[in-house]
Amino acid sequence: MKGFSCILALFLVIIIKSGSSVGGDLQMGFYGSSCPKAEKIVQDYVNQHIPNAPSLAATLIRMHFHDCFVRGCDASILLNFTSSSGNQTEKVAVPNQTVRGFDFIDRLKSLLEAECPGIVSCADIIALAARDSIVKTGGPSWKVPTGRRDGLLSNASEALAQIPAPFDNITILIQKFANKSLDSKDLVLLSGAHTIGIAHCPSVSNRLYNFTGVGDRDPALDSEYADNLRSRKCRTQNDNTTILEMDPGSRNTFDLSYYTLLLKRRGLFESDSALTTNSNTLSLINQLLQGSLQNFLSEFALSMEKMGQIEVKTGTTGEIRRNCAVVNS
């Protein structure tokens, strides 16, 4: 028995040192034997289509973020409302009404189902596509361990309550992140994804036209920037269609300019400006700006890896949806 114990111990050491296991029961290369081409299929499709629609990179990383903040990274954001479910799903909740890219995920799912039916989860497809699309647009890469399973439930009210909103103050933001085991550093770094992508006027109209309910604007917003937004972009308080750059002049480049704008009081959302109202988060912003771009990209990658493992479903929990929009019958 003693010899057997030594062999077992050695075997366990070899497994641990092989490095395939990751926290939360996710693994790098989880589909290595069950669907060897899975990650390449996602990457190839992303590489083929993102150059023609680079703004999709920002929408896919946003989808990943919004998915993980409600019931964990389980593709619950993709579920459609059905009469049998008895509730509105996350997809129709206010925070998700401007999320795009659902058809992109559906096309990826079709390719993977054709290759390996019932093997690759929709949750993993979101996580992989988000990473690969950011890389294709010149942004950072990060590790995406796989093995997530898809959730069975989706509720609009949970999305409204749990996803950080553009109107949230720093206290609420820190609490919402803490609820998902993310700290203030993760808050500052993940907000850095606003260096790419777009928003719409409703997310900022109150700051411009009616901040305290008396027809005023947010004094925390740089007056020249506010004047520009009012005269050239959101010309009325009821504009629901005009697109705004979250990082004007640099929206297609994953860089540090978002943080530079924050210090100039030119963060688009109240939640952006909020990062400068707390001594800890303000210090983190200054540290990033004093460091190199590579340091930011590396730190951002670590926070993305952390976020991608929020409350994941693995093993026999959940299911592998055949169609990302509906639970298996």
Side-chain angles (χ1 to χ4, degrees):
M1 285 299 290
K2 184 176 179 181
F4 176 77
S5 298
C6 290
I7 292 170
L8 180 60
L10 180 61
F11 180 67
L12 289 173
V13 167
I14 291 170
I15 290 177
I16 292 168
K17 287 194 173 182
S18 69
S20 62
S21 290
V22 180
D25 294 322
L26 300 181
Q27 293 182 350
M28 294 300 294
F30 177 83
Y31 299 107
S33 56
S34 60
C35 189
K37 295 180 182 176
E39 294 193 26
K40 190 173 188 308
I41 287 172
V42 173
Q43 186 181 55
D44 286 350
Y45 189 81
V46 165
N47 289 349
Q48 179 185 352
H49 292 282
I50 290 296
N52 301 321
S55 63
L56 257 179
T59 65
L60 289 172
I61 198 171
R62 183 170 178 235
M63 179 193 290
H64 185 28
F65 179 86
H66 283 208
D67 180 43
C68 290
F69 261 73
V70 186
R71 295 185 173 269
C73 313
D74 67 347
S76 52
I77 194 173
L78 302 181
L79 286 171
N80 287 341
F81 168 74
T82 62
S83 56
S84 61
S85 70
N87 65 273
Q88 294 290 325
T89 59
E90 293 168 38
K91 189 183 280 189
V92 300
V94 170
N96 293 327
Q97 286 174 2
T98 54
V99 172
R100 298 185 300 122
F102 296 110
D103 55 338
F104 192 88
I105 299 298
D106 286 341
R107 290 197 294 271
L108 276 170
K109 179 62 173 174
S110 296
L111 292 173
L112 288 161
E113 284 296 297
E115 177 72 18
C116 315
I119 298 295
V120 182
S121 69
C122 301
D124 278 341
I125 294 172
I126 295 175
L128 290 165
R131 189 269 314 275
D132 291 347
S133 65
I134 294 296
V135 170
K136 187 60 181 174
T137 52
S141 183
W142 58 89
K143 294 176 184 173
V144 180
T146 44
R148 296 167 189 77
R149 288 170 65 84
D150 299 323
L152 305 174
L153 299 171
S154 183
N155 191 304
S157 62
E158 292 178 349
L160 186 60
Q162 296 173 30
I163 294 172
F167 320 107
D168 285 344
N169 62 36
I170 193 63
T171 303
I172 294 172
L173 289 169
I174 288 172
Q175 186 58 57
K176 284 183 175 178
F177 272 68
N179 291 343
K180 304 302 173 183
S181 299
L182 298 173
D183 58 26
S184 295
K185 185 175 183 180
D186 298 312
L187 166 60
V188 171
L189 286 163
L190 293 174
S191 295
H194 288 177
T195 187
I196 58 171
I198 56 171
H200 295 83
C201 288
S203 60
V204 74
S205 60
N206 267 15
R207 299 191 80 191
L208 299 175
Y209 289 100
N210 201 28
F211 189 61
T212 62
V214 293
D216 56 341
R217 66 185 180 200
D218 184 356
L221 191 62
D222 174 72
S223 58
E224 185 181 337
Y225 181 43
D227 288 343
N228 183 276
L229 287 172
R230 284 174 56 142
S231 63
R232 299 190 177 192
K233 296 290 186 178
C234 307
R235 295 179 179 177
T236 71
Q237 191 172 351
N238 301 316
D239 185 333
N240 293 318
T241 57
T242 300
I243 290 171
L244 306 171
E245 297 178 338
M246 288 193 281
D247 186 358
S250 183
R251 60 166 279 200
N252 292 321
T253 308
F254 213 100
D255 57 22
L256 287 160
S257 64
Y258 164 78
Y259 299 109
T260 301
L261 291 174
L262 292 187
L263 297 188
K264 293 179 177 178
R265 299 193 301 127
R266 293 190 172 200
L268 185 63
F269 301 149
E270 288 172 61
S271 57
D272 294 321
S273 294
L275 299 179
T276 66
T277 65
N278 173 279
S279 59
N280 186 31
T281 52
L282 179 59
S283 175
L284 289 164
I285 291 168
N286 281 307
Q287 286 173 37
L288 287 170
L289 287 172
Q290 289 160 15
S292 65
L293 174 59
Q294 188 53 54
N295 174 67
F296 163 54
L297 300 181
S298 299
E299 294 283 355
F300 179 84
L302 292 174
S303 284
M304 282 302 301
E305 289 169 20
K306 196 171 169 184
M307 189 199 80
Q309 297 191 45
I310 295 174
E311 300 166 21
V312 292
K313 296 169 176 62
T314 58
T316 57
T317 307
E319 65 180 12
I320 305 299
R321 277 185 233 141
R322 291 187 293 272
N323 177 336
C324 289
V326 295
V327 297
N328 297 339
S329 56

